[in-house]
């Protein structure tokens, strides 16, 4: 897994070249990023969406910007990603949000969830992918994660060790309550939140008006 808009994209433009190929041959696109650099390629994204279907996916993790700078120090902050979602809506490009990771004892609060959902509602996202509230912890990742906890949240490291040990799934104790809030808000605002439904939507081909005219 790698973000298509890494810092070197400004120099190498590999993603831009891929988008140009996709647009040239009339393919659809689903692309996932945490970076506002995707706005550089708005013209290509609009051209792809005009001929087939383009879905821009953005990961949102933390509503609190100070906390965001701690958890995601090398990517653009949450408000910038919200502006990406807004820009895509204005361009007629559908969006999907990936919600996570939600870290127990750190950002697994209703306040954080409602803040992120408010962004999604304002940006009129089509769907939100949420696989529960928690974080997987693979061997190797765990050691790195615990070292960062020691550095940034020393009082929380012990909670992780006591609560999860060496478990792969570190599920928030707030998981059930947060899922209820998440589903209720999505239903209230007409946002797809069923995982299968969201993936089916991204796979579905949507013929454009000029394509429909061929069969009239």
């Amino acid at each position: 897994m790698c973000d298509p808009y890494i810092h070197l994209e400004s120099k190498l433009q590999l993603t831009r070249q891929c988008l140009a190929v996709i647009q040239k041959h009339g393919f659809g696109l689903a692309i996932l990023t945490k970076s506002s650099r995707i706005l550089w390629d708005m013209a290509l994204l609009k051209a792809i969406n005009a001929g087939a279907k383009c879905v821009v996916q953005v990961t949102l993790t933390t509503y609190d910007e100070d906390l965001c700078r701690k958890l995601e120090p090398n990517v653009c902050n949450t408000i910038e990603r919200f502006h990406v979602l807004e820009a895509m809506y204005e361009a007629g490009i559908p969006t999907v949000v990936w919600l996570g990771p939600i870290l127990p004892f750190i950002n697994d609060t209703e306040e954080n969830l409602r803040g992120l959902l408010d962004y999604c509602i304002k940006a009129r996202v089509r769907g939100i992918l949420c696989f529960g509230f928690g974080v997987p912890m693979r061997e190797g990742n765990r050691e790195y994660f615990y070292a960062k906890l020691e550095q940034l949240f020393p009082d929380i490291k012990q909670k992780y060790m006591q609560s999860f040990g060496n478990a792969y799934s570190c599920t928030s104790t707030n998981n059930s309550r947060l899922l209820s809030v998440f589903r209720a808000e999505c239903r209230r605002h007409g946002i797809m939140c069923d995982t299968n439904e969201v993936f089916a939507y991204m796979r579905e081909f949507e013929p454009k008006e000029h394509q429909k005219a061929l069969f009239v």
Side-chain angles (χ1 to χ4, degrees):
M1 297 177 69
C2 180
D3 196 301
Y5 287 95
I6 60 174
H7 294 75
L8 276 173
E9 175 63 15
S10 59
K11 178 181 179 180
L12 301 178
Q13 298 190 358
L14 298 178
T15 297
R16 177 170 295 180
Q17 293 175 60
C18 291
L19 295 180
V21 172
I22 290 169
Q23 190 274 326
K24 177 182 177 181
H25 295 282
F27 296 132
L29 171 72
I31 188 169
L32 170 63
T33 186
K34 288 185 177 184
S35 178
S36 60
R37 295 183 187 92
I38 193 170
L39 295 175
W40 297 344
D41 294 328
M42 179 64 86
L44 275 168
L45 297 172
K46 290 171 70 173
I48 292 169
N49 196 51
K53 181 178 183 179
C54 176
V55 181
V56 170
Q57 304 162 82
V58 175
T59 301
L60 298 182
T61 302
T62 310
Y63 182 70
D64 182 284
E65 295 294 355
D66 291 332
L67 184 57
C68 179
R69 280 187 281 272
K70 286 185 177 182
L71 299 180
E72 302 174 293
N74 297 313
V75 297
C76 66
N77 58 22
T78 305
I79 190 69
E80 289 180 87
R81 288 178 246 175
F82 166 60
H83 291 321
V84 168
L85 294 169
E86 283 189 312
M88 294 302 162
Y89 175 77
E90 293 298 325
I93 296 172
T95 55
V96 166
V97 162
W98 288 65
L99 198 61
I102 303 299
L103 307 177
F105 313 118
I106 297 177
N107 64 335
D108 60 335
T109 65
E110 186 172 334
E111 179 184 13
N112 181 57
L113 173 61
R114 288 191 180 277
L116 296 177
L117 289 176
D118 187 52
Y119 278 152
C120 293
I121 293 162
K122 288 178 178 176
R124 296 178 175 87
V125 303
R126 294 289 185 90
I128 304 175
L129 286 165
C130 175
F131 301 93
F133 295 89
V135 61
M137 204 69 69
R138 299 173 180 84
E139 187 175 349
N141 295 82
R142 184 181 298 105
E143 289 77 7
Y144 175 82
F145 183 72
Y146 279 2
K148 285 296 181 180
L149 285 181
E150 186 71 46
Q151 175 188 347
L152 300 171
F153 309 97
D155 55 324
I156 292 177
K157 178 182 177 182
Q158 193 61 32
K159 291 183 179 181
Y160 268 83
M161 295 176 69
Q162 292 174 348
S163 300
F164 308 117
N166 292 323
Y168 171 76
S169 296
C170 303
T171 303
S172 169
T173 55
N174 300 325
N175 183 62
S176 296
R177 180 169 58 86
L178 293 177
L179 277 175
S180 295
V181 171
F182 167 69
R183 290 166 180 157
E185 287 301 301
C186 286
R187 285 194 296 268
R188 185 174 294 117
H189 295 278
I191 299 173
M192 291 181 288
C193 63
D194 177 80
T195 301
N196 292 330
E197 184 182 9
V198 176
F199 280 120
Y201 166 74
M202 287 196 285
R203 288 193 299 267
E204 182 183 10
F205 178 71
E206 294 179 351
K208 305 301 177 180
E209 289 304 317
H210 70 276
Q211 294 168 327
K212 292 179 182 177
L214 294 174
F215 303 99
V216 174

